[in-house]
Structures are given as C-alpha cells and as structure tokens.
Amino acid sequence: KAGVTQTPRYLIKTRGQQVTLSCSPISGHRSVSWYQQTPGQGLQFLFEYFSETQRNKGNFPGRFSGRQFSNSRSEMNVSTLELGDSALYLCASSPGQLREQYFGPGTRLTVT
Amino acid sequence: GQQLNQSPQSMFIQEGEDVSMNCTSSSIFNTWLWYKQDPGEGPVLLIALYKAGELTSNGRLTAQFGITRKDSFLNISASIPSDVGIYFCAGQPLQGAQKLVFGQGTRLTINP
C-alpha cells in the first residue's frame, strides 16, 4: 500500500496570507489527524477527522481549520499567517479508533 | 493538560551498545506508540502497544506497556549507525480517541 502523502512538501508564505495543505491517507484509512511540530513546542495535536466530521480538536486558535472529503483526503487551512506558524505540519492516518497512526513526510511551512 | 516525560533527552553511544529510553505520565494511557524521526521526514512507527504489560519486539527493538498504564520503555539492542535519529513516545489517552500526546523525544547519536 502507498503511504500517507502530503503536498506540498515545502511552502514559503508571507505574514497575513493564508495557506492550504493537503493530505491523502493510506487507502482504507478513514481517520486523518493533523499535528504541528516546532523545535520549541514539539509535536502538538491540531485536529482529527473521521468520515468527514471533526472528532477531536487541539488547543489552537480558530485560524487553524480543516476538512475531510468523502474519499478521506483531508485539507488543513491556516488563515492570517503569523511568524510563529512556521513549522512542520504532519498528517497521520489510522485504520480506526485507538489504533496506530501512520505519518506522512510533512509540509515544511515558512512564514516570512 | 496531559504530558509525557521522555528520558533521556539525548544519548551518545558507541556502535554495538544497547540503548534504553522511557516515557512516563501522570495520566493513564490506552495505547503507547514508539516512533523514529529522521531530519526533514515524518515520524515512522516502530512499535505499537495496546495492553498493559504487553512486551513487543520488532527486530532489535523491544518495547513494553507499563502495568500501571502510565509508562512505557523502548530498548534497542546492538545499535548500528542507521539507528541515529530522534525517537518519540506517543500515548493515546483514554478519553482522547485519536489524539496523540507526544514525548519531547530522545536524540540518539552513535559514535562508530
């Protein structure tokens, strides 16, 4: 099976802009989670989607949003970018609840 | 919020040595996962643990789910150069469904 894919791999944006990141889960996986990784805060949970519904949400401001499509692909959007949003954004897919999660390679976002 | 304390933060060892790292929490976790992350890549799942007391091996790697459900350890035997990287523990809290809580990571460096 193909692994989790994320596009784009690298992105440079300017403060105030918005960005959309894409994630395609492993075939058959219906749960998609998003995480932010920074040197200072480590890996932090953003949100999780299952069957097009957000099931869990982390402690991030409303500028961070996501959605999931009927084919389980997911997108994450960050509006009004801030310098502190620079991070590696990771998507993970899972076959079901409370099971292992498999990560994609991540999207490296740099905000200038 | 829930936190995982992972130790040690870094290790400098000789090739061929055994490695041991652990994670502890003040909260109970339902699942423990161990990941390895190389620079610029997403975490790769090494071992998943689902039952208290479970001991699971994956090649030279062995991990255990603590009896109290509040800790886990990972051992690597006979380390080789490709073991270099950052190892993360992650737990799924009982109430958190697919949300993963991560440790701070253990950076492993191997001297040939």
Side-chain angles (χ1 to χ4, degrees):
Chain A
K1 278 186 181 177
V4 178
T5 59
Q6 291 187 246
T7 56
R9 290 294 308 274
Y10 303 93
L11 205 49
I12 299 175
K13 290 288 188 178
T14 304
R15 192 170 45 183
Q17 289 185 315
Q18 74 165 14
V19 67
T20 299
L21 312 181
S22 181
C23 171
S24 292
I26 292 171
S27 177
H29 287 192
R30 296 169 65 189
S31 169
V32 174
S33 300
W34 288 89
Y35 295 83
Q36 181 196 64
Q37 186 175 29
T38 60
Q41 298 298 317
L43 278 148
Q44 300 287 321
F45 172 78
L46 280 156
F47 29 66
E48 183 239 350
Y49 286 86
F50 182 86
S51 293
E52 302 179 64
T53 300
Q54 187 182 88
R55 286 200 301 194
N56 290 280
K57 190 175 189 304
N59 297 322
F60 279 81
R63 299 184 297 108
F64 292 81
S65 63
R67 59 177 175 169
Q68 187 180 33
F69 302 94
S70 58
N71 60 359
S72 293
R73 190 177 68 84
S74 177
E75 288 182 347
M76 190 192 99
N77 184 273
V78 187
S79 63
T80 320
L81 284 165
E82 300 177 0
L83 296 178
D85 296 333
S86 294
L88 181 67
Y89 289 90
L90 293 160
C91 165
S93 78
S94 173
Q97 191 167 358
L98 298 178
R99 300 297 296 182
E100 62 275 10
Q101 293 186 27
Y102 297 89
F103 284 84
T107 294
R108 171 72 63 185
L109 172 65
T110 301
V111 182
T112 62
Chain B
Q2 291 147 325
Q3 290 184 326
L4 289 182
N5 297 311
Q6 186 171 349
S7 64
Q9 289 190 345
S10 60
M11 301 184 73
F12 298 85
I13 64 170
Q14 297 294 122
E15 183 177 349
E17 288 185 7
D18 295 344
V19 171
S20 184
M21 60 191 77
N22 69 83
C23 272
T24 60
S25 170
S26 57
S27 305
I28 290 174
F29 282 82
N30 195 69
T31 301
W32 284 94
L33 306 170
W34 284 92
Y35 291 90
K36 177 175 182 278
Q37 187 174 27
D38 292 326
E41 299 295 329
V44 174
L45 181 65
L46 299 173
I47 292 180
L49 303 159
Y50 301 104
K51 296 180 185 177
E54 180 180 356
L55 183 71
T56 298
S57 292
N58 178 8
R60 294 178 296 105
L61 278 61
T62 301
Q64 184 160 30
F65 191 146
I67 290 290
T68 64
R69 307 177 78 93
K70 294 182 179 180
D71 62 341
S72 177
F73 73 75
L74 174 71
N75 287 341
I76 305 173
S77 63
S79 58
I80 59 177
S82 62
D83 291 335
V84 166
I86 302 178
Y87 291 80
F88 290 97
C89 62
Q92 287 181 332
L94 290 176
Q95 302 300 322
Q98 287 300 90
K99 170 184 174 179
L100 283 179
V101 178
F102 280 85
Q104 304 95 318
T106 295
R107 182 181 295 275
L108 179 62
T109 303
I110 298 176
N111 300 316

